[in-house]
Amino acid sequence: MRRRSSRAAVVFLALFLLTSCGLLPGGDERTVTVWLMKGSASGAFLKRFTEDFERKHPDIRLDFRIQEWGGIGDKVSKALKADDGTGPDVIEVGNTQVAQYVDEGGLLDLTLESMRDWDMNHWLPGLAEPGRFLGHQYGIPWYAANRVVVYRKDLFARAGINKPPKTRAQWLADTKKLDSGQQQGIYLPGQDWYTLAGFIWDEGGELAEESAAGSGRWTGTLDTPAALRGMDFYRRLQALGDGPKDTDEDNPPLVGVFAKGDIAQVVAVPGLAQVAVHQNPDLKDDLGFFPVPGETAAKPGAVFTGGSDLVVPESTDDSAGAVAVISALVGAKWDTELARSMDYVPNKTTLAGRVADKSGVAAMAAGAAEGRATPASPQWGAVEANNPIKEYMTAVLTGSDPTTEAKRASRRLTEALTENM
C-alpha cells in the first residue's frame, strides 16, 4: 500500500491560508494494492470495477497485481510476515488455503464486518467454513466453482431417458441403461477423490475429524460405516464405464476423453463442455448439465466446493481501504457480475437466481448450496501432495478389501494431519 499527497489538496490549502478563510481538510490519496490470481477476473471486469470504485472512493486508487498459482503459497506466506508497508492490502487465496495462513499468523480478523456488513448467514458453506477458525472469520467468500454432471442429451434421449436423475438411486439406474455396447454410461477415473468426498459427505461421513475445535488434532475417518458407504457407491458408479482405476481426471485429461469417446456422462466443472465442443464441434447442441444427485430428490448431493476467499494481511497500513475494496467485490452487484462474466457461482445462496439463465452455472449453484470443503487443517496441503485417498480408491476398485484399505488410508491421513505438531 502506498500513499502520496494530493497536489490539488496542497494548492487549495495554500489558497485558503492566503485568504484567511480557514483550512480545507487534508487530501491524502491512498493506493490499495490487491493481489488476484491469474484467470480469476477478466481485464474488462477489473476495468469496470476500478472505474466504479474510484468514482465512489475518490481518495483511493486501486492497484491490481495478477499472481500465478504456481508457488503462490510461499509468496503469500512471505507477504504476511512482511511489515515494511510495501505488501498487498487484499489477497485472493484458494478457499482451502485459508487455514494454513491463519495458522502461520498475519491475517486480519474480519468477523465484525462479516456479521455487520456482509450478510455472512447466506454465504456458501464451502467457501465460508474454510475461512473460519475458532469462531473468527478471516477468509471472505468471493466466488465458487464445483463439479456437476455434464451429459450427452442425445445419448440420454436414445436410451429413453427424458429428464436428468434427481436421486442417486435413479442416477445409478439410468447409468446402467446408458452403459451399453461400445457406449460408456459414465467415464469416472478411479482416483477422482473430490467426487468421492461428496458421496462420503452425503452419507454423513467425513474425510477426517478434529478431536476438538481448534485442537489441531485430526483423525482420518475413511473407515467409518458412512464413509465406506460413500466409497461403495463410487465403486458401483465407476464400474459403469471404462475409466482407469489407477489415475485421476488429469491422466489422461478428462476433456479429451469425453470429446472423442462415446461417453454419456462425466463429472466435471461446466467449463469442460466448452472445451469439448472446441475439440469436437459435433457436440455443440448435445451437451447438458445437472447437479450431482443426492440421496433424495429434495436436494442435490454434496460436492466439493472450490473457489476463492479474500483476506487482509494484518500488516496493511490501510485496513479501512482494504475493507472497502472487499465490501465492493463481495457485494451483490459486483459478485454477480463476476459470476456471470466468468461462469462462476456467486458467493451467496441468495444470488443463485441471478445465474439461473446459464444452465451450467445454474447446475453448479444448485450443488454449491450443498457444498463442502476439505478439513480446515493447515496440514491439508501435505495430504494432497502425497494423497492416500487416491491409493485407497485404486485398491478398492481393483478388488482389495474396502475396510482394510480404509483403515490403512485413515492411519496415513492421521499421520499427515498431525505432522509437525
Side-chain angles (χ1 to χ4, degrees), residues 34 41 86 109 139 142 144 166-167 178 209 214 242 247 251 262 282 293 299 302 309 311 343 389-390 414:
V34 183
T86 62
D109 185 343
W142 190 25
K166 289 192 174 182
T167 68
L178 290 159
E209 291 184 330
D242 299 330
T247 62
N251 301 287
D262 203 9
D282 290 342
K299 61 182 182 180
D309 285 5
V311 300
D343 285 346
I389 304 175
K390 289 185 173 184
T414 302

Side-chain angles (χ1 to χ4, degrees), residues 123 209 261 289 297 353:
W123 282 341
E209 291 184 330
F289 314 90

Side-chain angles (χ1 to χ4, degrees), residues 9 29 41 48 56-57 202 225 287 361 403:
E29 187 176 273
R48 292 193 302 273
K56 294 175 179 176
H57 302 82
D202 248 8
L287 301 185
V361 181
T403 301

Side-chain angles (χ1 to χ4, degrees), residues 335-336 339-340 344-346 351-363 365:
D335 203 77
T336 298
R340 291 190 61 81
Y344 295 146
V345 179
L351 298 178
R354 300 192 183 191
V355 294
D357 60 323
K358 299 169 77 72
S359 58
V361 181

Side-chain angles (χ1 to χ4, degrees), residues 72-398:
I72 191 60
D74 290 341
K75 191 170 185 178
V76 171
S77 295
K78 290 178 182 177
L80 295 180
K81 294 173 183 175
D83 58 3
D84 58 3
T86 62
D89 301 291
V90 178
I91 307 174
E92 175 194 353
V93 300
N95 60 326
T96 61
Q97 297 173 333
V98 179
Q100 171 190 337
Y101 300 136
V102 172
D103 184 64
E104 293 174 357
L107 290 185
L108 198 66
D109 185 343
L110 299 171
T111 307
L112 175 61
E113 292 83 358
S114 299
M115 297 174 63
R116 183 188 63 201
D117 305 323
W118 296 332
D119 196 20
M120 66 184 299
N121 290 331
H122 291 113
W123 282 341
L124 296 176
L127 294 180
E129 292 170 3
R132 192 175 302 135
F133 184 70
L134 292 179
H136 295 267
Q137 197 74 38
Y138 297 90
I140 308 306
W142 190 25
Y143 68 83
N146 51 271
R147 286 161 174 76
V148 300
V149 183
V150 184
Y151 75 104
R152 290 274 301 270
K153 293 185 286 186
D154 57 330
L155 299 185
F156 268 56
R158 194 180 303 164
I161 304 169
N162 53 27
K163 60 181 179 180
K166 289 192 174 182
T167 68
R168 282 187 9 199
Q170 188 61 53
W171 189 23
L172 203 62
D174 288 348
T175 305
K176 286 179 180 177
K177 189 182 296 186
L178 290 159
D179 189 42
S180 175
Q182 296 300 309
Q183 179 178 295
Q184 298 182 52
I186 190 169
Y187 180 89
L188 187 61
Q191 295 185 347
D192 182 1
W193 69 274
Y194 292 111
T195 297
L196 170 64
F199 299 158
I200 289 174
W201 292 328
D202 248 8
E203 292 288 351
E206 300 287 347
L207 303 179
E209 291 184 330
E210 195 173 18
S211 59
S215 68
R217 299 187 178 280
W218 291 83
T219 301
T221 53
L222 295 173
D223 56 336
T224 63
L228 287 167
R229 289 195 300 271
M231 182 64 224
D232 185 62
F233 181 81
Y234 190 98
R235 179 189 59 78
R236 288 185 286 154
L237 187 66
Q238 200 271 342
L240 299 175
D242 299 330
K245 295 177 170 56
D246 58 350
T247 62
D248 60 22
E249 60 274 21
D250 294 327
N251 301 287
L254 181 61
V255 65
V257 177
F258 185 53
K260 296 176 183 177
D262 203 9
I263 296 168
Q265 310 169 84
V266 291
V267 181
V269 294
L272 172 139
Q274 184 177 354
V275 181
V277 170
H278 179 75
Q279 294 186 16
N280 181 1
D282 290 342
L283 295 176
K284 181 179 179 182
D285 299 319
D286 292 335
L287 301 185
F289 314 90
F290 59 88
V292 173
E295 277 289 289
T296 71
K299 61 182 182 180
V303 290
F304 169 77
T305 302
S308 287
D309 285 5
L310 299 173
V311 300
V312 178
E314 276 187 325
S315 58
T316 179
D317 57 357
D318 190 1
S319 58
V323 167
V325 173
I326 290 180
S327 291
L329 283 172
V330 306
K333 170 182 167 57
W334 288 106
D335 203 77
T336 298
E337 183 163 335
L338 179 73
R340 291 190 61 81
S341 66
M342 301 297 291
D343 285 346
Y344 295 146
V345 179
N347 61 359
K348 295 186 179 72
T349 56
T350 51
L351 298 178
R354 300 192 183 191
V355 294
D357 60 323
K358 299 169 77 72
S359 58
V361 181
M364 273 202 303
E370 306 301 325
R372 297 278 303 276
T374 52
S377 166
Q379 303 298 323
W380 188 257
V383 171
E384 293 195 28
N386 187 23
N387 199 329
I389 304 175
K390 289 185 173 184
E391 295 179 19
Y392 158 61
M393 296 172 73
T394 294
V396 174
L397 295 176
T398 53

